[in-house]
Amino acid sequence: MALVLVALLAGTGYLLHRQNAPAARATGDALSPSARPRASTAAVTSTSPSPRAKASGSRPATWFPQHGPGTFASAHGGTARFGTGRLLRYDVKVEQGLAQTADGFAAQVDAILDDTHRGWAAGGLWSFQRVSSGPVDFTVYLVTPDTTDRMCAKYGLDTGGWVNCSAGKQVVMNVKRWLLLTQYYTGQADEYHALAINHEVGHRLGHGHVTCPGAGRPAPVMMQQIKGMHGCVPNGWPYDGKGHYLTGPAV
């Protein structure tokens, strides 16, 4: 029974959409109500640290609070334009009280969107630029599980304290998921972070979910990888580095 419960917590379920929120998109790794873990309001730690996360004082690198104030620190400065396609401007915000800084998180987001060989800019359709002021096309947030739920619920999405979402102009990264990764990306924090950002930004670009195109092939970034790899191998990027878009049959 314990093994079954672990499997359910790690990778099963579905996301509940409200029919009156067609613009809302959520990552495909949401949990069903029966499988969704219910964390307490106490701080949570893990024994599997993310190498990109930094500890604060004596706290472990994967420390995070379950609940936050709902106020945010913005990353400073901006970037050059990444890519040559239609320009999308974005900013980055981190909920106050987390061990991660807005500038540190922004550097990770920038590195993913700046990848013009494997990222969304590789296809020539899109380009990205982080700004610290003025209008933006979307904001990338890193927030506590409870704040994730509140932000995503406004668009009819049930994130269950566990997953990310893309809704309106919000790309919401749940710090719990950001730090603890998934069973398929254990020890591969950078690759999982690429998957999380690229999946949710992909929804902002209008992409829906797809399935595995065949055994042994890279999992498309728009595949709901938390529900199982179905023969595909883990992959966090929309392009293969040679200009080929990695996709599969539509769900």
Side-chain angles (χ1 to χ4, degrees):
M1 179 62 73
L3 293 177
V4 173
L5 179 58
V6 169
L8 286 171
L9 290 175
T12 61
Y14 59 90
L15 185 69
L16 300 178
H17 292 259
R18 292 180 186 167
Q19 293 182 352
N20 62 355
R25 297 273 190 170
T27 189
D29 52 9
L31 301 178
S32 69
S34 61
R36 184 182 306 129
R38 294 298 184 184
S40 69
T41 56
V44 182
T45 61
S46 168
T47 57
S48 302
S50 163
R52 294 298 294 272
K54 294 183 179 180
S56 176
S58 61
R59 293 169 177 165
T62 51
W63 176 91
F64 61 88
Q66 177 72 18
H67 179 78
T71 56
F72 310 98
S74 298
H76 297 92
T79 68
R81 181 175 180 171
F82 309 144
T84 59
R86 176 186 169 188
L87 177 62
L88 296 179
R89 291 158 54 96
Y90 68 96
D91 59 1
V92 171
K93 297 182 179 182
V94 170
E95 188 170 13
Q96 293 175 328
L98 299 183
Q100 288 71 36
T101 67
D103 289 347
F105 177 59
Q108 296 180 64
V109 175
D110 296 344
I112 294 165
L113 295 181
D114 186 24
D115 195 316
T116 55
H117 297 288
R118 300 174 298 169
W120 286 115
L125 297 177
W126 305 99
S127 61
F128 303 90
Q129 183 178 22
R130 181 166 61 82
V131 297
S132 58
S133 61
V136 296
D137 295 285
F138 61 92
T139 298
V140 182
Y141 291 91
L142 182 66
V143 300
T144 60
D146 287 352
T147 299
T148 300
D149 289 349
R150 290 196 302 272
M151 293 176 70
C152 299
K154 292 180 180 179
Y155 292 86
L157 301 176
D158 178 5
T159 46
W162 184 247
V163 297
N164 312 308
C165 83
S166 179
K169 291 187 175 183
Q170 300 177 154
V171 171
V172 184
M173 294 290 111
N174 186 329
V175 70
K176 182 175 185 177
R177 195 52 163 280
W178 188 257
L179 296 181
L180 303 189
L181 315 179
T182 77
Q183 62 175 327
Y184 304 111
Y185 286 85
T186 300
Q188 302 180 69
D190 288 347
E191 189 73 8
Y192 174 73
H193 293 164
L195 170 64
I197 294 295
N198 285 322
H199 185 100
E200 300 305 340
V201 171
H203 281 316
R204 286 287 303 127
L205 303 181
H207 293 277
H209 291 141
V210 299
T211 61
C212 177
R217 297 177 64 179
V221 76
M222 297 312 299
M223 177 177 155
Q224 297 170 291
Q225 295 186 32
I226 189 61
K227 293 185 176 181
M229 303 306 298
H230 305 293
C232 275
V233 297
N235 164 61
W237 299 95
Y239 288 85
D240 66 358
K242 298 180 180 179
H244 302 129
Y245 178 52
L246 301 172
T247 189
V251 174

